[in-house]
Amino acid sequence: MKKTDKSPSIIYHLVPEYIYDQSINKLDNYNCKGFENSNFIHSTWDLKELKRIADLIFTKAVKYPEGPEVVGKFYEKPSVKFILLAINRKKVKAKMGFVKPSYYHIYGSIPRKAYKILSVRRNKNGEFILKS
């Protein structure tokens, strides 16, 4: 990261709890790159934007023009539990970069000491209620 980067040091990553459980290695480091079919972990410092994207992807069936896949179909039910990782990006050793000022990509594992696990609630429509 550039020294002129004035972004907040805490960034967030939302993940279904069962995917989180599958993405912990023997050292308790977290890496769910395969969950999102990409080579990085999505994160942002903007909880409002995270909620908007999460509601779009995980509560509605969204078709992407790139293919016939329907994203969100599996996660529509409010009974699927999610957790929110509050990540101190200064403690992440993996390469990081940002695509827009509020979106970070993490290209590797996140050490357990670099994040806190926050609980996530959803309303009866499945929409997320996110608080830091």
Side-chain angles (χ1 to χ4, degrees), residues 7-8 13 24-25 27-28 33 44 55-56 68 70 116:
S7 303
H13 172 71
I24 297 296
N25 69 15
L27 299 174
D28 264 358
K33 293 189 301 186
T44 182
D55 287 344
L56 176 69
V70 178
K116 293 180 183 177

Side-chain angles (χ1 to χ4, degrees), residues 28-74:
D28 264 358
N29 295 332
Y30 171 75
N31 193 336
C32 73
K33 293 189 301 186
F35 160 58
E36 297 158 327
N37 292 321
S38 61
N39 64 345
F40 54 84
I41 298 168
H42 293 275
S43 64
T44 182
W45 58 263
D46 188 343
L47 279 179
K48 186 176 178 180
E49 179 64 6
L50 179 60
K51 178 191 171 358
R52 185 186 74 78
I53 297 296
D55 287 344
L56 176 69
I57 293 175
F58 297 120
T59 64
K60 299 174 180 80
V62 179
K63 290 190 179 180
Y64 284 93
E66 296 86 20
E69 297 85 8
V70 178
V71 177
K73 183 170 110 176
F74 188 76

